[in-house]
Amino acid sequence: MVTKKITIKIPTGLEARPVAILVQVASQYESAIYVECEEKKVNAKSIMGMMSLGLAAGEEVIVSASGADEEEAMENIEKYLSSK
């Protein structure tokens, strides 16, 4: 399992379209991927779960991935969340 603290740099934060893209990125991998913010932990492959976090630009989240392709999954999710 890999865990990383990532700051969201997407200017609009995670509203509908960026969440949909994040779910698509996460869904490419076999690994279980979770995003945690404050007391909430949701499956990164769940569009409704991700929307429920209501994340804004500049917020920090903890992303964890566990599975055969966890390193690659973490790398690409970090790349997406850190894009401007």
Side-chain angles (χ1 to χ4, degrees):
M1 177 187 251
V2 289
T3 304
K4 198 171 230 177
K5 189 178 273 191
I6 301 172
T7 302
I8 296 169
K9 295 184 178 150
I10 299 167
T12 59
L14 288 184
E15 56 184 32
R17 184 168 288 127
V19 164
I21 295 169
L22 176 62
V23 169
Q24 283 180 338
V25 171
S27 295
Q28 294 173 16
Y29 301 99
E30 253 180 63
S31 298
I33 304 166
Y34 289 91
V35 177
E36 205 172 334
C37 182
E38 294 165 11
E39 298 298 309
K40 275 185 158 178
K41 183 176 183 176
V42 300
N43 185 340
K45 297 177 186 181
S46 162
I47 198 155
M48 293 311 289
M50 289 303 302
M51 288 296 293
S52 74
L53 291 177
L55 298 168
E59 281 194 73
E60 277 193 343
V61 294
I62 296 169
V63 178
S64 57
S66 176
D69 51 5
E70 61 191 30
E71 295 288 339
E72 188 184 350
M74 181 65 76
E75 192 179 303
N76 284 308
I77 286 173
E78 181 177 23
K79 196 184 296 178
Y80 176 67
L81 290 176
S82 299
S83 63
K84 291 186 176 171

